Amino acid sequence: MSGFQSRRRFIAGAVCPRCAEMDKIVVDLDTDERECVACGFREGRPAVSAPEEVKTRVNRASARRVETPAEVVRLLDPSDSQASGDGE
C-alpha cells in the first residue's frame, strides 16, 4: 500500500442520481468529486459562478453620468405656524 491515502467523506442523506440509493455517496475532499459506492457514478462539482449584482442607479454607468440638480429644502417648524394662526 502506498503512503498516499485519499480523504473521502460520506454525505449523510445524499441520494445517488443514477441508482437512487441513499447514503452511498462519498466526496473526495482532495479532488472535490462525488462518487456512488453502490453503482460507481462519478461527478465533479459544478463551477460556482458569482451571482449577478442587481441593477440599481448606483451601479449603472449611465445613471452615474447624469448630474442631479440640487434643490432648496425649506424646513418648517410646526409650532411656529400654530402659534401665529396662519393656517398654512
Side-chain angles (χ1 to χ4, degrees):
M1 183 175 187
S2 69
F4 177 75
Q5 186 174 5
S6 176
R7 299 180 322 155
R8 295 170 59 166
R9 305 267 182 194
F10 276 94
I11 306 301
V15 177
C16 176
R18 183 186 295 162
C19 68
E21 289 283 328
M22 184 183 278
D23 295 335
K24 302 292 182 187
I25 299 288
V26 294
V27 174
D28 187 332
L29 300 175
D30 296 326
T31 62
D32 221 14
E33 228 178 36
R34 67 180 179 165
E35 177 183 0
C36 177
V37 295
C39 70
F41 171 79
R42 292 182 76 99
E43 180 179 56
R45 180 175 286 195
V48 178
S49 62
E52 186 176 318
E53 187 176 8
V54 178
K55 300 289 184 195
T56 64
R57 65 179 178 84
V58 176
N59 63 8
R60 285 184 301 163
S62 61
R64 284 188 296 229
R65 282 185 251 145
V66 177
E67 184 65 34
T68 305
E71 295 180 17
V72 177
V73 177
R74 193 174 90 188
L75 300 177
L76 302 175
D77 186 0
S79 62
D80 287 345
S81 65
Q82 289 175 357
S84 64
D86 289 337
E88 261 185 65

